[in-house]
Amino acid sequence: MPSDPAALAGLAALVLAAAVLYSSVGHAGASAYLAAMALFGVSPEASKPAALVMNVAVATVGTLRFASAGLVPWRRLAPLVLGSVPAAFVGGVMALPTSVHRLVLGVLLAVASLRLLWAGPREIARRALPAVAAARGLGALIGLFAGLTGVGGGIFLSPLLLLTGWEETRRTAGASVTFILANSVSGLLGH
């Protein structure tokens, strides 16, 4: 952590801004927290659990808000979470060397960002999720990457749900923040 008060204040300001912005779209902000902490020289050993703790706080509030509005698609989300939670725990147990952690996180974030920039059709017809086993497998893959990198997985789940037509925008936000909460707790327990 930065020891200089000005640097610490700068990091805190970035984290607060990320929490506010990410929570407005059904995310919790771990990718931004990790990026900010990396800019300030915080090691992955310290930044990963710190990002997950912040994720749990922000995602708990988000899950309660989206659930009370009826915007969490529990039945669609269940097989994804059942696959992701154990995998996020395993990913949380694994410790990547700093250079590998930053490379993996950077590549995964870049791929997720580029995929969202792809100009697909404005409205995608809503489709059914794949078979339960396939949904669990997708959840497990996302959960493993989430646990390895110290994020909740929403940055991977949201594009998947939207671009495949498995869910509409507002319910994707509700699914994402709930998914993030489950994986953040699991990844933190594994850490």
Coordinates of all heavy atoms in Angstrom, one line a residue, residues 76-91 129-148 151-158 160-161 166 175-176 178-180 182-184 186-187:
R76 N -32.0 -18.7 -14.2 CA -31.0 -18.6 -15.2 C -29.6 -18.6 -14.6 O -28.6 -19.1 -15.1 CB -31.2 -17.4 -16.2 CG -32.3 -17.6 -17.1 CD -32.5 -16.3 -18.0 NE -33.5 -16.6 -19.0 CZ -33.2 -16.9 -20.2 NH1 -32.0 -17.0 -20.7 NH2 -34.2 -17.1 -21.1
L77 N -29.5 -17.9 -13.5 CA -28.2 -17.7 -12.8 C -27.7 -18.9 -12.1 O -26.5 -19.2 -12.0 CB -28.4 -16.5 -11.9 CG -27.1 -16.0 -11.2 CD1 -26.1 -15.5 -12.3 CD2 -27.5 -14.8 -10.3
A78 N -28.6 -19.7 -11.5 CA -28.3 -20.8 -10.7 C -27.2 -21.8 -11.3 O -26.2 -22.1 -10.6 CB -29.5 -21.6 -10.3
P79 N -27.4 -22.3 -12.5 CA -26.4 -23.2 -13.0 C -25.0 -22.6 -13.2 O -24.0 -23.2 -13.0 CB -27.0 -23.7 -14.3 CG -28.1 -22.9 -14.7 CD -28.5 -22.2 -13.4
L80 N -25.0 -21.3 -13.6 CA -23.8 -20.6 -13.8 C -23.0 -20.4 -12.4 O -21.8 -20.7 -12.3 CB -24.0 -19.2 -14.4 CG -24.6 -19.2 -15.8 CD1 -25.2 -17.9 -16.2 CD2 -23.4 -19.6 -16.8
V81 N -23.8 -20.1 -11.4 CA -23.2 -19.9 -10.1 C -22.7 -21.3 -9.5 O -21.7 -21.3 -8.9 CB -24.2 -19.2 -9.1 CG1 -23.7 -19.2 -7.7 CG2 -24.4 -17.8 -9.6
L82 N -23.5 -22.3 -9.7 CA -23.2 -23.6 -9.2 C -21.8 -24.1 -9.8 O -21.1 -24.8 -9.2 CB -24.3 -24.6 -9.5 CG -25.5 -24.5 -8.6 CD1 -26.6 -25.4 -9.1 CD2 -25.2 -24.7 -7.1
G83 N -21.6 -23.7 -11.0 CA -20.3 -24.0 -11.6 C -19.2 -23.1 -11.2 O -18.0 -23.5 -11.0
S84 N -19.5 -21.8 -11.0 CA -18.5 -20.8 -10.8 C -17.9 -20.8 -9.4 O -16.7 -20.5 -9.2 CB -19.0 -19.4 -11.1 OG -19.9 -19.0 -10.2
V85 N -18.8 -21.0 -8.4 CA -18.3 -20.8 -7.0 C -17.2 -21.8 -6.6 O -16.2 -21.3 -6.1 CB -19.5 -20.9 -6.0 CG1 -19.1 -21.1 -4.6 CG2 -20.4 -19.7 -6.2
P86 N -17.3 -23.1 -6.9 CA -16.1 -23.9 -6.5 C -14.9 -23.6 -7.3 O -13.8 -23.6 -6.8 CB -16.6 -25.4 -6.9 CG -18.1 -25.3 -7.1 CD -18.4 -23.9 -7.4
A87 N -15.1 -23.2 -8.6 CA -13.9 -22.8 -9.4 C -13.3 -21.5 -8.9 O -12.0 -21.4 -9.0 CB -14.3 -22.7 -10.9
A88 N -14.1 -20.6 -8.5 CA -13.5 -19.3 -8.0 C -12.7 -19.6 -6.7 O -11.7 -19.0 -6.5 CB -14.6 -18.3 -7.6
F89 N -13.2 -20.6 -5.9 CA -12.4 -21.0 -4.7 C -11.1 -21.5 -5.1 O -10.0 -21.1 -4.6 CB -13.2 -22.0 -3.9 CG -12.5 -22.4 -2.6 CD1 -12.5 -21.7 -1.5 CD2 -11.7 -23.6 -2.7 CE1 -11.9 -22.1 -0.3 CE2 -11.0 -24.0 -1.5 CZ -11.1 -23.3 -0.4
V90 N -11.1 -22.4 -6.1 CA -9.8 -23.0 -6.6 C -8.9 -21.9 -7.1 O -7.7 -21.9 -6.9 CB -10.1 -24.1 -7.6 CG1 -8.8 -24.6 -8.3 CG2 -10.8 -25.3 -7.0
G91 N -9.5 -21.0 -7.9 CA -8.7 -20.0 -8.5 C -8.1 -19.1 -7.4 O -7.0 -18.6 -7.5
L129 N -30.8 -20.5 -22.1 CA -29.5 -20.8 -21.7 C -29.2 -22.2 -22.3 O -30.1 -23.0 -22.6 CB -29.4 -21.0 -20.2 CG -29.1 -19.7 -19.4 CD1 -29.1 -20.0 -17.9 CD2 -27.8 -19.1 -19.8
P130 N -27.9 -22.5 -22.5 CA -27.6 -23.9 -22.9 C -28.0 -24.9 -21.9 O -28.4 -24.5 -20.8 CB -26.1 -23.9 -23.2 CG -25.6 -22.7 -22.3 CD -26.7 -21.7 -22.3
A131 N -27.8 -26.2 -22.1 CA -28.1 -27.2 -21.2 C -27.4 -26.9 -19.8 O -26.3 -26.3 -19.8 CB -27.6 -28.6 -21.7
V132 N -28.0 -27.4 -18.8 CA -27.4 -27.1 -17.4 C -25.9 -27.5 -17.3 O -25.2 -26.7 -16.8 CB -28.3 -27.9 -16.3 CG1 -27.6 -27.8 -15.0 CG2 -29.7 -27.4 -16.3
A133 N -25.5 -28.6 -17.9 CA -24.1 -29.0 -17.8 C -23.2 -28.0 -18.5 O -22.2 -27.6 -18.0 CB -23.9 -30.4 -18.3
A134 N -23.7 -27.5 -19.6 CA -22.9 -26.5 -20.4 C -22.8 -25.2 -19.6 O -21.8 -24.5 -19.6 CB -23.5 -26.3 -21.8
A135 N -24.0 -24.8 -19.0 CA -24.0 -23.5 -18.2 C -23.1 -23.6 -17.0 O -22.4 -22.7 -16.7 CB -25.4 -23.2 -17.8
R136 N -23.1 -24.8 -16.4 CA -22.2 -25.0 -15.2 C -20.7 -24.9 -15.7 O -19.9 -24.4 -15.0 CB -22.4 -26.3 -14.6 CG -23.6 -26.3 -13.6 CD -23.7 -27.6 -12.8 NE -24.9 -27.5 -12.0 CZ -25.4 -28.5 -11.3 NH1 -24.8 -29.7 -11.4 NH2 -26.4 -28.4 -10.6
G137 N -20.5 -25.5 -16.9 CA -19.1 -25.5 -17.4 C -18.6 -24.1 -17.7 O -17.5 -23.7 -17.4
L138 N -19.5 -23.3 -18.3 CA -19.2 -21.9 -18.6 C -19.0 -21.1 -17.2 O -18.1 -20.3 -17.1 CB -20.3 -21.2 -19.4 CG -20.4 -21.6 -20.8 CD1 -21.7 -21.1 -21.4 CD2 -19.2 -21.0 -21.6
G139 N -19.9 -21.4 -16.3 CA -19.7 -20.8 -15.0 C -18.4 -21.1 -14.3 O -17.7 -20.3 -13.7
A140 N -18.0 -22.4 -14.4 CA -16.7 -22.8 -13.9 C -15.6 -22.1 -14.5 O -14.6 -21.7 -13.8 CB -16.6 -24.4 -14.0
L141 N -15.6 -22.0 -15.8 CA -14.5 -21.3 -16.5 C -14.4 -19.9 -16.1 O -13.3 -19.4 -15.7 CB -14.7 -21.4 -18.0 CG -13.6 -20.9 -18.9 CD1 -12.3 -21.7 -18.7 CD2 -14.1 -20.9 -20.4
I142 N -15.5 -19.2 -16.0 CA -15.5 -17.8 -15.6 C -15.1 -17.7 -14.1 O -14.3 -16.9 -13.7 CB -16.9 -17.2 -15.7 CG1 -17.3 -17.0 -17.2 CG2 -17.0 -15.8 -15.1 CD1 -18.7 -16.6 -17.5
G143 N -15.6 -18.6 -13.3 CA -15.2 -18.6 -11.8 C -13.7 -18.9 -11.6 O -13.1 -18.2 -10.8
L144 N -13.1 -19.8 -12.4 CA -11.7 -20.0 -12.3 C -10.9 -18.7 -12.6 O -10.0 -18.4 -11.9 CB -11.3 -21.2 -13.2 CG -9.8 -21.5 -13.1 CD1 -9.4 -22.0 -11.7 CD2 -9.4 -22.6 -14.2
F145 N -11.2 -18.1 -13.7 CA -10.5 -16.9 -14.1 C -10.8 -15.8 -13.1 O -9.9 -15.0 -12.8 CB -10.9 -16.4 -15.5 CG -10.3 -17.2 -16.6 CD1 -11.1 -17.7 -17.6 CD2 -8.9 -17.4 -16.6 CE1 -10.5 -18.5 -18.6 CE2 -8.3 -18.2 -17.6 CZ -9.1 -18.7 -18.6
A146 N -12.0 -15.7 -12.5 CA -12.3 -14.7 -11.5 C -11.4 -15.0 -10.3 O -10.8 -14.0 -9.7 CB -13.8 -14.8 -11.2
G147 N -11.4 -16.2 -9.8 CA -10.6 -16.5 -8.6 C -9.1 -16.3 -8.9 O -8.4 -15.8 -8.0
L148 N -8.6 -16.6 -10.0 CA -7.2 -16.4 -10.3 C -6.8 -15.0 -10.3 O -5.7 -14.6 -9.9 CB -6.8 -17.0 -11.7 CG -6.6 -18.5 -11.8 CD1 -6.5 -18.9 -13.3 CD2 -5.3 -18.9 -11.1
V151 N -11.1 -10.9 -9.4 CA -12.4 -10.2 -9.7 C -13.6 -11.1 -9.4 O -13.4 -12.3 -9.1 CB -12.4 -9.8 -11.2 CG1 -11.2 -8.9 -11.5 CG2 -12.4 -11.0 -12.2
G152 N -14.8 -10.6 -9.6 CA -15.9 -11.4 -9.3 C -16.5 -12.1 -10.5 O -17.4 -13.0 -10.4
G153 N -16.0 -11.8 -11.7 CA -16.4 -12.5 -12.9 C -17.5 -11.8 -13.7 O -17.8 -12.2 -14.8
G154 N -18.1 -10.7 -13.2 CA -19.1 -10.0 -13.9 C -18.6 -9.4 -15.3 O -19.4 -9.3 -16.2
I155 N -17.3 -9.0 -15.3 CA -16.8 -8.5 -16.6 C -16.8 -9.6 -17.7 O -16.7 -9.2 -18.8 CB -15.4 -7.9 -16.4 CG1 -14.4 -8.9 -15.8 CG2 -15.5 -6.7 -15.5 CD1 -13.0 -8.5 -15.7
F156 N -16.9 -10.8 -17.3 CA -16.9 -11.9 -18.3 C -18.4 -12.4 -18.5 O -18.8 -12.7 -19.6 CB -16.1 -13.1 -17.8 CG -14.7 -12.7 -17.4 CD1 -14.2 -13.0 -16.1 CD2 -13.8 -12.0 -18.2 CE1 -13.0 -12.7 -15.7 CE2 -12.6 -11.7 -17.8 CZ -12.1 -12.0 -16.6
L157 N -19.2 -12.4 -17.4 CA -20.5 -12.9 -17.5 C -21.4 -11.9 -18.3 O -22.2 -12.3 -19.1 CB -21.1 -13.1 -16.1 CG -22.6 -13.6 -16.1 CD1 -22.6 -15.0 -16.7 CD2 -23.1 -13.6 -14.7
S158 N -21.3 -10.6 -18.0 CA -22.2 -9.6 -18.7 C -22.1 -9.7 -20.2 O -23.2 -9.8 -20.9 CB -21.9 -8.2 -18.2 OG -22.3 -8.1 -16.8
L160 N -21.2 -12.1 -22.0 CA -21.7 -13.4 -22.4 C -23.2 -13.4 -22.5 O -23.8 -13.9 -23.4 CB -21.2 -14.5 -21.5 CG -21.7 -16.0 -21.7 CD1 -21.1 -16.5 -23.0 CD2 -21.3 -16.9 -20.6
L161 N -23.8 -12.9 -21.4 CA -25.3 -12.9 -21.3 C -25.9 -12.0 -22.4 O -26.9 -12.3 -23.0 CB -25.8 -12.5 -20.0 CG -25.5 -13.4 -18.8 CD1 -26.0 -12.8 -17.5 CD2 -26.2 -14.8 -19.0
W166 N -28.9 -14.3 -24.0 CA -29.5 -15.1 -22.9 C -30.2 -14.3 -21.8 O -31.0 -14.8 -21.0 CB -28.4 -15.9 -22.2 CG -27.8 -17.0 -23.1 CD1 -28.4 -17.6 -24.1 CD2 -26.5 -17.7 -22.9 NE1 -27.6 -18.5 -24.7 CE2 -26.4 -18.6 -24.0 CE3 -25.5 -17.5 -22.0 CZ2 -25.3 -19.4 -24.1 CZ3 -24.4 -18.3 -22.2 CH2 -24.3 -19.3 -23.2
A175 N -28.1 -10.2 -12.6 CA -27.4 -11.5 -12.6 C -25.9 -11.2 -12.3 O -25.3 -12.0 -11.6 CB -27.6 -12.2 -14.0
S176 N -25.3 -10.2 -13.0 CA -23.9 -10.0 -12.8 C -23.5 -9.7 -11.4 O -22.6 -10.2 -10.9 CB -23.5 -8.9 -13.8 OG -22.1 -8.6 -13.7
T178 N -25.0 -10.3 -8.7 CA -25.2 -11.5 -7.8 C -24.1 -12.5 -8.0 O -23.6 -13.1 -7.0 CB -26.6 -12.0 -8.0 OG1 -27.6 -11.0 -7.9 CG2 -26.9 -13.2 -7.1
F179 N -23.8 -12.7 -9.2 CA -22.7 -13.6 -9.6 C -21.4 -13.1 -9.0 O -20.6 -13.9 -8.4 CB -22.6 -13.7 -11.1 CG -21.7 -14.6 -11.7 CD1 -22.0 -16.0 -11.9 CD2 -20.4 -14.3 -12.2 CE1 -21.2 -16.9 -12.5 CE2 -19.5 -15.2 -12.8 CZ -19.9 -16.5 -13.0
I180 N -21.2 -11.8 -9.1 CA -19.9 -11.2 -8.5 C -19.9 -11.5 -7.0 O -18.8 -11.8 -6.5 CB -19.9 -9.7 -8.8 CG1 -19.6 -9.5 -10.3 CG2 -18.9 -9.0 -8.0 CD1 -19.9 -8.1 -10.8
A182 N -21.3 -13.9 -5.2 CA -21.0 -15.3 -4.9 C -19.5 -15.6 -5.2 O -18.9 -16.3 -4.3 CB -21.9 -16.2 -5.7
N183 N -19.0 -15.2 -6.3 CA -17.6 -15.5 -6.7 C -16.6 -14.8 -5.8 O -15.5 -15.3 -5.5 CB -17.4 -15.3 -8.1 CG -18.0 -16.3 -9.0 OD1 -17.9 -17.5 -8.8 ND2 -18.8 -15.8 -10.0
S184 N -16.9 -13.5 -5.4 CA -16.0 -12.8 -4.6 C -15.9 -13.4 -3.2 O -14.7 -13.5 -2.7 CB -16.5 -11.3 -4.5 OG -16.4 -10.7 -5.7
S186 N -16.4 -16.6 -2.5 CA -15.7 -17.9 -2.8 C -14.2 -17.6 -3.0 O -13.3 -18.3 -2.4 CB -16.3 -18.6 -3.9 OG -15.7 -19.8 -4.1
G187 N -13.8 -16.7 -3.9 CA -12.4 -16.4 -4.2 C -11.7 -15.9 -2.9 O -10.6 -16.3 -2.7

